[in-house]
Amino acid sequence: MTEQLTADLASGALLDALSEIAEAASHVILPYWRAGGDVFTKADDSPVTLADQAAEQLILSRLEALYPGVQAVAEEQSEAEGKPDQAAERFWLIDPLDGTRGFVQGKESFTVNIALIEGRRPVAGVVSAPATATTWRTAPGGGAQMRRFGEAWRTIRVRNRPDDGVALLSHSVTDEEAARLAARYGCNRWQGTDSSLKFCLIAEGRFDAYPRTGPTSEWDTAAGQAVLEAAGGRVLAADGSPLLYAKPGFLNGPFVALGG
């Protein structure tokens, strides 16, 4: 089935399929949002909900039906069964609900993330935000797009860095650290935002940088990186090289996501 995947990636059918799957997972998640359901704690002390599990089950089953045999590395499956010892040359990276802490608190900035990794780079990606019914994706034939669910796709691109650049930071950093990180990347102001939404907002041309010093898993970043790079941005590791995937433990070190 790898031949079909290759053909669908070239024709754009793959991006259409991934968009439909991510938006279907969003519809699975929404009934749990602000509904006061059970929250469980994983071994790493991070939260997981029935919404995470239901969305991941849908994504994995749909991908396997379309492209059987392609390796999938998904957050909840990896936490429950253990991460694979190694990745295939081509594999899926899936975070069914990024920003679970905010989701549990009733915030809007949580996302569904599906990425295709090939040669350690994200070559296709889709990010959906269930609360705002918005999807971002790498576009068939190049570039990046976004849409409200059910509407037409429109092209997005990073902006040239303004004199008064604005950085996006994780809520986990202190105000002092956030200001320091923002200034390092030429931004005079910063704003706290959860989940992979940060990559997409930079890809839209609304913000300029997202520096990250704390640890993340590869499924947290892959789809967002694919969208941002397709929109003309960059995601760089600490040594200035592009952020790569299939690293030991599927873990990222420090990185920065940049617009124009």
Side-chain angles (χ1 to χ4, degrees):
M1 189 52 68
T2 57
E3 295 83 0
Q4 186 63 55
L5 193 156
T6 299
D8 287 354
L9 179 60
S11 70
L14 175 70
L15 273 305
D16 289 338
L18 296 186
S19 302
E20 291 173 4
I21 293 170
E23 291 176 2
S26 296
H27 289 302
V28 167
I29 289 168
L30 278 174
Y32 295 94
W33 184 44
R34 297 176 175 171
D38 292 335
V39 181
F40 309 98
T41 302
K42 295 188 286 191
D44 64 358
D45 204 34
S46 64
V48 62
T49 69
L50 294 176
D52 298 73
Q53 297 167 347
E56 183 166 297
Q57 183 178 16
L58 179 146
I59 294 167
L60 290 173
S61 64
R62 294 276 187 94
L63 289 175
E64 180 62 20
L66 287 171
Y67 306 108
V70 178
Q71 183 185 29
V73 180
E75 179 177 18
E76 307 313 332
Q77 184 181 73
S78 294
E79 294 293 343
E81 302 175 9
K83 299 173 183 176
D85 292 332
Q86 61 184 13
E89 172 69 12
R90 172 186 277 173
F91 68 101
W92 305 111
L93 264 175
I94 301 159
D95 190 341
L97 204 170
D98 186 31
T100 301
R101 292 186 192 277
F103 171 82
V104 170
Q105 295 167 1
K107 297 179 180 179
E108 293 187 349
S109 51
F110 56 93
T111 56
V112 177
N113 300 264
I114 308 172
L116 177 65
I117 307 300
E118 188 173 280
R120 304 192 67 196
R121 298 295 305 273
V123 296
V126 175
V127 178
S128 281
T132 60
T134 307
T135 298
W136 301 261
R137 72 176 188 178
T138 53
Q145 299 172 316
M146 66 176 294
R147 74 173 179 187
R148 295 272 296 175
F149 291 0
E151 296 182 1
W153 294 101
R154 66 179 181 86
T155 300
I156 57 173
R157 185 160 182 82
V158 300
R159 68 183 181 185
N160 293 327
R161 178 70 61 86
D163 292 337
D164 191 24
V166 186
L168 290 168
L169 278 300
S170 168
H171 279 124
S172 62
V173 301
T174 65
D175 288 355
E176 181 180 359
E177 176 71 358
R180 185 183 66 79
L181 286 171
R184 177 187 298 176
Y185 295 100
C187 295
N188 301 320
R189 296 178 292 138
W190 63 274
Q191 179 176 311
T193 305
D194 296 319
S195 82
S196 62
L197 190 61
K198 293 185 281 291
F199 294 96
C200 300
L201 295 176
I202 297 172
E204 278 187 52
R206 295 168 59 185
F207 294 88
D208 304 292
Y210 162 36
R212 179 79 185 210
T213 57
T216 56
S217 293
E218 292 186 350
W219 49 70
D220 296 321
T221 61
Q225 178 174 347
V227 171
L228 177 56
E229 290 181 341
R234 296 169 293 157
V235 182
L236 305 176
D239 64 359
S241 64
L243 186 65
L244 298 178
Y245 289 82
K247 299 184 293 296
F250 298 91
L251 295 173
N252 295 321
F255 66 84
V256 60
L258 297 168

